Amino acid sequence: MARREGLFVRRSVCLGLFLLSGCGGAPTTPASGATGDTPAVHYSFEVDPELRTLSATVCPRDLRFTHLRMTTPELLDRVRRPRLVQATGDVPLAFEEDAVPIASMADGACIGYDVDLGPPGEGFWITHGDAHVLAAPDVWLLAPEPRPPGTRLTASFTLPPGVHAAVPWPGDPRGYRVPETAFTMRGAGAFGKLERETVRVGGAELDLVSLGGGFGARAPLVTQWMQRSASALTHLHDGFPVPRVMALLIPQPGSDVGFGMALRGGGPTVMILVGSSITPEALDAEWTAVHELFHLSAPRFQSKDVWLSEGLATYYTYILMARAGMTKEQGAWDDLQDGFRRGSRRGTGRTLRQESIDMHETHAYQRVYWAGAALSLLADVELRKRGVEGGLDGPLRELARCCARSEEAWSAEQFAAFVDQKTGQAVMGPLFERYIDRADFPETAEILAALGVKGAGREMTLAADAPRAGVRSAMMAPRAGGTGP
């Protein structure tokens, strides 16, 4: 997640708009059931022209489920009229806690329910905009239980003229295939007027979905920025690290980029607020997309270790932007050094572990993000000093290959063990043990001096005769095989 104070410009709009991915085109009518003995469930969704109500019909085949469960119980009051849909007429059902129990279903029967998409509800789950509504599947996708492993889940949308669906799910002859992660991880979705463009970067598809009226004459600028940002990842990985990403671009007033978030439920997605009056100059040095896309190249981390997930992403954002030519090497070091200074001055005096756990209550974002970035720098340089070619790059490439799409939430301890095992060096584990349960900020001044980073801003110089000047240059040199800006 990208936040800004100073360079991180904080925007309170934020936590309401994390809804995105795959873009539905013309209305898709339900098709006949799949053949074979594989249990299957098909969802048919309809949305009204005012984008206020979604109606769902859930039809199983070769499967008897006993409950439809709400994955976000706090939004239970938005689900209305659960009912058994059968040839002899509808039978009302009722919620018990966070699920609709289904005592019996005749062959051919389905379950129906309606979801209130209308305001109030501005926030993460539901947000209305200009001719669109951001509505996370967590609100309107109820989970059938039990569903055996291998159950085929598909979905189709019947939508009014001019209304399209944006979901991160892969295509299917029946409309979409619903991945299991749609029920286990926070996801994204939107309905309404959408502009869509698909580009290829590093062997992957980048689906760009702009809400409302999109960006008009500025649309090519935004597309080029997203392509450059995605290409920056190829200066770390062998191509782009996942085969497909949906980017939901949300126009907002202004001329800069506001807030971003990476999501995984149903498929890799990023959501970014972009000023409708954005300028080429503003996009030239804009880092939010690189930051969010980087998150998708690593596994999900446990919430207590957000310092690690955000720290890695923050550190590598500037490294990769320099490698891709999106910023100069001197500018990248200046941004990193400035972040370390700000991070060392912020916080509430808690340990790094506790600051991470309490971050959204204390707003100690600077301390958490930049302490994690500082530890990433210390580990990267130490590995290079010990002769590990590429430092952290190699372990992160292997991590992307094995685990970027894993449903498992990794801990900092797992990550440290992985890096130390892959490099054959006991660096990451001892470094984490040293700082996780301390309140002081990781010391970076000595290592920056050894790298030859001197001064700040216009006064900054990169000393060619510094002890680790070669390491410094290698860290931000373009990677062979990277696709460049």
Side-chain angles (χ1 to χ4, degrees):
M1 180 175 69
R3 271 192 168 269
R4 298 162 180 253
E5 276 182 38
L7 282 177
F8 288 72
V9 176
R10 293 178 55 193
R11 296 186 179 275
S12 58
V13 187
C14 60
L15 295 168
L17 315 171
F18 312 156
L19 325 168
L20 141 163
S21 238
C23 192
T28 305
T29 55
S32 59
T35 58
D37 299 324
T38 301
V41 178
H42 185 74
Y43 292 81
S44 299
F45 297 110
E46 295 187 26
V47 178
D48 73 309
E50 288 73 34
L51 309 179
R52 293 295 187 266
T53 303
L54 177 144
S55 297
T57 306
V58 188
C59 299
R61 182 185 59 76
D62 294 332
L63 176 67
R64 301 283 183 181
F65 52 78
T66 60
H67 292 81
L68 274 182
R69 189 171 303 280
M70 190 78 177
T71 58
T72 51
E74 64 269 30
L75 299 169
L76 194 61
D77 61 347
R78 288 195 172 268
V79 181
R80 316 281 170 79
R81 295 198 317 119
R83 55 200 180 272
L84 184 65
V85 180
Q86 50 191 4
T88 56
D90 293 357
V91 178
L93 300 173
F95 274 98
E96 291 183 3
E97 297 182 347
D98 61 348
V100 179
I102 303 157
S104 63
M105 288 181 67
D107 289 341
C110 301
I111 303 298
Y113 60 88
D114 298 334
V115 178
D116 176 15
L117 300 180
E122 301 300 306
F124 177 87
W125 306 106
I126 296 178
T127 305
H128 284 263
D130 179 20
H132 69 264
V133 57
L134 291 162
D138 310 58
V139 180
W140 45 266
L141 182 69
L142 271 63
E145 295 180 351
R147 53 185 187 281
T151 298
R152 182 173 180 80
L153 297 119
T154 56
S156 59
F157 293 90
T158 301
L159 303 168
V163 174
H164 301 275
V167 288
W169 309 334
D172 181 88
R174 303 201 67 184
Y176 295 94
R177 181 174 57 82
V178 184
E180 182 64 23
T181 58
F183 303 103
T184 59
M185 298 183 190
R186 183 168 287 181
F191 303 101
K193 185 178 179 181
L194 310 172
E195 300 290 335
R196 180 182 181 182
E197 181 178 7
T198 300
V199 297
R200 293 194 67 82
V201 177
E205 285 190 354
L206 187 64
D207 291 338
L208 308 178
V209 179
S210 302
L211 297 188
F215 298 94
R218 292 176 172 82
L221 293 176
V222 177
T223 297
Q224 292 163 15
W225 169 60
M226 290 300 300
Q227 286 181 291
R228 289 198 309 271
S229 299
S231 294
L233 272 292
T234 69
H235 287 271
L236 171 61
H237 300 288
D238 300 320
F240 195 81
V242 293
R244 178 177 177 269
V245 173
M246 175 59 72
L248 191 64
L249 305 171
I250 305 168
Q252 62 169 357
S255 58
D256 60 0
V257 174
F259 180 86
M261 170 166 274
L263 298 168
R264 303 170 190 268
T269 61
V270 294
M271 182 283 297
I272 303 176
L273 301 178
V274 181
S276 56
S277 302
I278 196 73
T279 64
E281 294 75 20
L283 289 175
D284 277 348
E286 175 47 56
W287 52 266
T288 303
V290 177
H291 183 101
E292 301 308 336
L293 291 168
F294 179 89
H295 279 302
L296 300 177
S297 72
R300 188 166 54 106
F301 286 94
Q302 295 176 12
S303 57
K304 69 181 178 64
D305 294 321
V306 66
W307 62 269
L308 175 57
S309 59
E310 294 296 352
L312 278 170
T314 299
Y315 173 66
Y316 265 96
T317 291
Y318 297 103
I319 296 290
L320 295 180
M321 287 180 68
R323 291 180 186 177
M326 296 176 68
T327 188
K328 295 183 182 299
E329 180 185 356
Q330 185 167 325
W333 284 114
D334 194 35
D335 287 337
L336 285 167
Q337 188 172 239
D338 179 65
F340 298 149
R341 282 196 297 267
R342 286 183 283 116
S344 67
R345 295 195 298 262
R346 306 293 178 89
T348 63
R350 292 169 169 84
T351 65
L352 180 56
R353 189 192 304 271
Q354 198 60 46
E355 289 280 35
S356 298
I357 293 170
D358 298 335
M359 183 177 72
H360 296 302
E361 287 71 43
T362 64
H363 304 290
Y365 299 105
Q366 296 279 310
R367 156 79 166 130
V368 171
Y369 280 47
W370 285 107
L375 291 176
S376 300
L377 168 69
L378 295 178
D380 194 12
V381 173
E382 182 61 28
L383 287 170
R384 292 169 185 269
K385 285 169 55 180
R386 296 189 184 193
V388 176
E389 185 177 358
L392 273 178
D393 287 7
L396 288 179
R397 276 195 291 276
E398 294 200 42
L399 190 65
R401 284 193 288 265
C402 78
C403 308
R405 287 177 282 171
S406 171
E407 292 186 46
E408 178 187 3
W410 279 48
S411 67
E413 290 77 13
Q414 282 177 286
F415 175 79
F418 181 91
V419 172
D420 289 350
Q421 188 270 326
K422 294 299 180 183
T423 61
Q425 299 291 329
V427 169
M428 196 65 81
L431 188 63
F432 286 1
E433 289 176 10
R434 179 180 175 188
Y435 281 104
I436 289 177
D437 291 313
R438 286 170 54 176
D440 55 317
F441 194 84
E443 176 54 51
T444 59
E446 182 178 345
I447 199 67
L448 288 171
L451 292 170
V453 179
K454 298 181 179 180
R458 294 181 180 179
E459 307 300 321
M460 170 174 280
T461 60
L462 300 178
D465 58 350
R468 301 295 175 188
V471 169
R472 184 199 70 229
S473 297
M475 292 166 71
M476 294 196 180
R479 178 173 181 250
T483 59

